[in-house]
Amino acid sequence: MVNYKIAPSILSADFSKLGEEVDAVVRAGADMIHIDVMDNHYVPNLTFGPMVCKSIRPITTLPLDVHLMAAPVDRLAQDFAKAGANIITFHPEATDHVDRTIQIIQDSGCKAGIVINPATSIGCLDWVLDKISVVLIMSVNPGFGGQEFIQGSYRKIKRVRKVIQESGREISLQVDGGINAENIKAIAKAGADSFVSGSAIFGASDYHRAIANLKQQLL
């Protein structure tokens, strides 16, 4: 049986009361907290730094899942690890040496993962599957919340799931972008086991009901 996980993205939270928002989704049944880090360089937006991660850390014991949409990666990854991150994923295009960046993240005490953009080849996975714990498939173009799921992502999810299965390793396949109660079942069927959801959760009036509805579709 697959252990599905729901990861609310605080990119869609009310920043004026971020601590309360994190606590609310934790109480509502979140499995981890997803932190979208944008640097106004790799992507055209600016969001969170390590200090925000550090401020969230005392609120919950759930894993803090940091997605670095930033370049360069290495120093920032170390700073987020010190701030309390548990998982750090990054885009291979954002670093000069992917293998070295993975090692830096792991040496900092975090699980490492690779992020694949909608138009990015999955070829790099062939050389790092023995080192990573997560593959994150972007089902929207990175940089903004609230986008619609790109339909072509299903094919990529299936291909990556096959690659993971053939590797024989336990690697989580996470999907981020446009996930809601209407499509989460099909995304899971394609091979995903972890689901980042922002608007579908933080845009709801009842977080508990929103998360429960997502999980219900996975039964």
Side-chain angles (χ1 to χ4, degrees), residues 53-65:
C53 181
K54 185 176 181 179
S55 70
I56 293 172
R57 182 70 281 174
I59 297 172
T60 178
T61 58
L62 290 180
L64 297 185
D65 176 29

Side-chain angles (χ1 to χ4, degrees), residues 73-75 77-78 90 95-108 112 114 127-128 131:
V73 178
D74 296 353
R75 173 61 186 274
Q78 293 176 79
F90 68 95
T95 187
D96 291 327
H97 303 285
V98 174
D99 189 81
R100 179 182 296 160
T101 298
I102 292 171
Q103 192 62 56
I104 287 171
I105 292 171
Q106 292 175 334
D107 288 347
S108 297
I114 293 291
W127 310 104
V128 299
K131 300 177 176 69

Side-chain angles (χ1 to χ4, degrees), residues 7-215:
S9 168
I10 62 171
L11 180 63
S12 298
D14 183 343
F15 293 178
S16 70
K17 51 178 183 178
L18 187 55
E20 295 175 32
E21 292 275 76
V22 171
D23 184 61
V25 292
V26 170
R27 293 176 182 274
D31 298 298
M32 60 180 72
I33 301 299
H34 191 79
I35 303 175
D36 284 308
V37 178
M38 304 181 187
D39 67 350
N40 195 33
H41 174 66
Y42 179 71
V43 293
N45 215 331
L46 187 65
T47 58
F48 313 105
M51 287 187 293
V52 173
C53 181
K54 185 176 181 179
S55 70
I56 293 172
R57 182 70 281 174
I59 297 172
T60 178
T61 58
L62 290 180
L64 297 185
D65 176 29
V66 174
H67 171 197
L68 295 180
M69 288 172 269
V73 178
D74 296 353
R75 173 61 186 274
L76 197 56
Q78 293 176 79
D79 290 343
F80 270 96
K82 292 176 183 176
N86 302 102
I87 304 163
I88 298 177
T89 57
F90 68 95
H91 296 253
E93 304 95 332
T95 187
D96 291 327
H97 303 285
V98 174
D99 189 81
R100 179 182 296 160
T101 298
I102 292 171
Q103 192 62 56
I104 287 171
I105 292 171
Q106 292 175 334
D107 288 347
S108 297
C110 296
K111 293 182 179 179
I114 293 291
V115 187
I116 306 295
N117 283 332
T120 299
S121 169
I122 67 171
C124 72
L125 296 178
D126 292 341
W127 310 104
V128 299
L129 277 179
D130 60 329
K131 300 177 176 69
I132 60 175
S133 302
V134 181
V135 177
L136 170 54
I137 299 293
M138 292 301 296
S139 47
V140 298
N141 287 296
F144 299 93
Q147 300 180 67
E148 291 188 8
F149 184 90
I150 296 174
Q151 294 301 308
S153 303
Y154 288 114
R155 186 161 59 97
K156 180 168 281 188
I157 295 165
K158 290 176 181 178
R159 288 183 62 189
V160 173
R161 172 50 66 189
K162 183 180 179 181
V163 168
I164 290 173
Q165 288 177 332
E166 290 175 349
S167 76
R169 300 193 69 247
E170 291 188 12
I171 298 171
S172 177
L173 178 48
Q174 187 176 71
V175 179
D176 182 358
I179 295 176
N180 53 48
E182 284 68 48
N183 60 19
I184 192 171
K185 185 174 183 178
I187 296 168
K189 186 177 180 180
D193 56 62
S194 180
F195 310 86
V196 178
S197 183
S199 302
I201 295 174
F202 287 105
S205 58
D206 185 332
Y207 296 167
H208 186 277
R209 182 178 297 176
I211 292 175
N213 194 20
L214 290 171
K215 291 187 174 184

